Amino acid sequence: MTDTPEPAIRRAAEADLPAIVAMLADDPLGATRESPEDLTPYLAAFKRLAEDPNQHLVVAVRAERVVGTLQLTIVPGLSRKGSTRSIIEGVRVHADERGSGLGTRFVEWAIEKSRAESCEIVQLTSDATRTDAHRFYERLGFAASHVGFKLQL
Amino acid sequence: MTDTPEPAIRRAAEADLPAIVAMLADDPLGATRESPEDLTPYLAAFKRLAEDPNQHLVVAVRAERVVGTLQLTIVPGLSRKGSTRSIIEGVRVHADERGSGLGTRFVEWAIEKSRAESCEIVQLTSDATRTDAHRFYERLGFAASHVGFKLQL
């Protein structure tokens, strides 16, 4: 693809929401739990994220088209001598871009942003069924050292 | 223990820091990565937590003595129809209180607080070596559905 530039990663804007939600829904797990036909709940969440200085919701854009999204949360804390950590959530790459290296660039962006925010750990959880994702994160240097527990309320 | 009341759970104050840090250090994993003799880095982190409305750092107090600590982080997000989730971190119960049911009360407090903050998921990660903790969280209704990845910066 010599005629299209590499995707640029930038802060998400409200106008990106339809494209972001479409990517959240175009996923084996997301298909059953998203509602791309009604953006109202997403808009409320977007506004809350936009106002929070510890939240970094970004998109990857190629040729003016949103092709990926990622949420990075900065979490201060007392443990490990008052270490700040970051949490990666909601990584999605458009179906057309899979295999393009965008996933790697996204995670590398998150790592660089975490360093810039003085984080000492980057963490994330991945559904136990996403074994391809596990190999991907291990290649990027992450250790599968923890068990992730969830409770639906 | 009919002569001591049940521990009360309240927001942590700066004066609780020495007791909190002592509990963080009195732990098989924490022993090697905390510095209770120098509270400076913890004080900076405490101030950052205290100013963040999405952070709830609490302590359990029995007979005016701090006997437990827990950090609950509220994380808005777009996925799952704009669900807000909460993350439990840094749960510690004083050695004298283990087996007293305080761990259960703490997690129940976190779940109730998460409901009050309109969260739809409560999540946490636990080091893969803490098998007793895993059984504890499963008894409380959590599902070990995810793999937790960490990258030290």
Side-chain angles (χ1 to χ4, degrees):
Chain A
M1 291 192 282
T2 52
D3 56 344
T4 50
E6 278 295 290
I9 297 173
R10 63 156 170 78
R11 177 169 281 272
E14 195 177 310
D16 301 321
L17 262 185
I20 295 172
V21 176
M23 286 188 292
L24 293 175
D26 181 25
D27 175 89
L29 299 174
T32 61
R33 57 195 191 201
E34 305 297 345
S35 67
E37 70 287 352
D38 177 13
L39 293 178
T40 314
Y42 298 97
L43 185 58
F46 177 84
K47 287 181 173 166
R48 191 163 169 192
L49 291 168
E51 289 166 1
D52 185 338
N54 286 325
Q55 290 292 347
H56 303 279
L57 178 70
V58 295
V59 288
V61 180
R62 186 201 290 274
E64 296 178 48
R65 183 161 161 263
V66 172
V67 292
T69 181
L70 176 149
Q71 178 184 350
L72 187 71
T73 303
I74 308 299
V75 182
L78 292 183
S79 62
R80 301 177 187 232
K81 300 182 193 171
S83 287
T84 299
R85 58 186 79 199
S86 66
I87 299 177
I88 298 174
E89 282 275 1
V91 183
R92 293 292 185 282
V93 169
H94 193 281
D96 297 350
E97 291 278 333
R98 288 178 198 153
S100 72
L102 176 56
T104 300
R105 283 197 58 218
F106 245 158
V107 175
E108 287 172 348
W109 175 89
I111 292 169
E112 283 314 301
K113 181 71 173 172
S114 299
R115 283 190 210 277
E117 296 274 341
S118 304
C119 297
E120 292 173 51
I121 308 175
V122 184
Q123 62 188 59
L124 63 95
T125 66
S126 179
D127 193 284
T129 64
R130 298 192 198 264
T131 49
D132 286 354
H134 302 174
R135 281 190 291 269
F136 168 75
Y137 289 117
E138 285 178 330
R139 277 199 303 273
L140 289 167
F142 286 80
S145 55
H146 283 61
V147 180
F149 290 87
K150 305 221 181 209
L151 175 70
Q152 304 264 358
L153 297 185
Chain B
M1 289 192 281
T2 53
D3 56 344
T4 48
E6 280 293 292
I9 296 173
R10 64 155 169 81
R11 180 169 278 271
E14 193 176 312
D16 300 322
L17 263 185
I20 294 172
V21 176
M23 286 188 293
L24 293 175
D26 181 24
D27 175 90
L29 299 175
T32 61
R33 57 196 192 198
E34 305 297 345
S35 68
E37 69 289 350
D38 177 14
L39 293 178
T40 314
Y42 299 96
L43 185 57
F46 177 85
K47 288 182 173 166
R48 192 164 169 190
L49 292 168
E51 288 166 3
D52 185 339
N54 286 326
Q55 290 292 346
H56 304 279
L57 178 70
V58 296
V59 288
V61 179
R62 187 200 290 276
E64 297 178 47
R65 183 162 161 260
V66 172
V67 292
T69 182
L70 176 151
Q71 178 183 351
L72 187 71
T73 303
I74 309 299
V75 182
L78 291 184
S79 62
R80 301 175 188 237
K81 300 181 194 172
S83 287
T84 299
R85 58 186 79 200
S86 66
I87 298 177
I88 298 173
E89 281 275 0
V91 183
R92 293 294 184 282
V93 169
H94 193 280
D96 296 352
E97 291 278 332
R98 288 177 197 153
S100 72
L102 176 56
T104 299
R105 285 198 56 221
F106 245 156
V107 176
E108 287 172 350
W109 175 90
I111 292 169
E112 283 314 300
K113 181 70 173 172
S114 299
R115 283 190 210 279
E117 297 275 340
S118 303
C119 297
E120 292 172 52
I121 307 174
V122 183
Q123 63 189 57
L124 61 95
T125 65
S126 180
D127 193 283
T129 63
R130 299 193 197 263
T131 49
D132 286 354
H134 302 173
R135 282 190 290 271
F136 168 76
Y137 289 115
E138 285 178 329
R139 276 199 304 274
L140 289 168
F142 286 80
S145 55
H146 283 60
V147 180
F149 291 87
K150 305 220 181 209
L151 174 70
Q152 305 264 359
L153 298 185

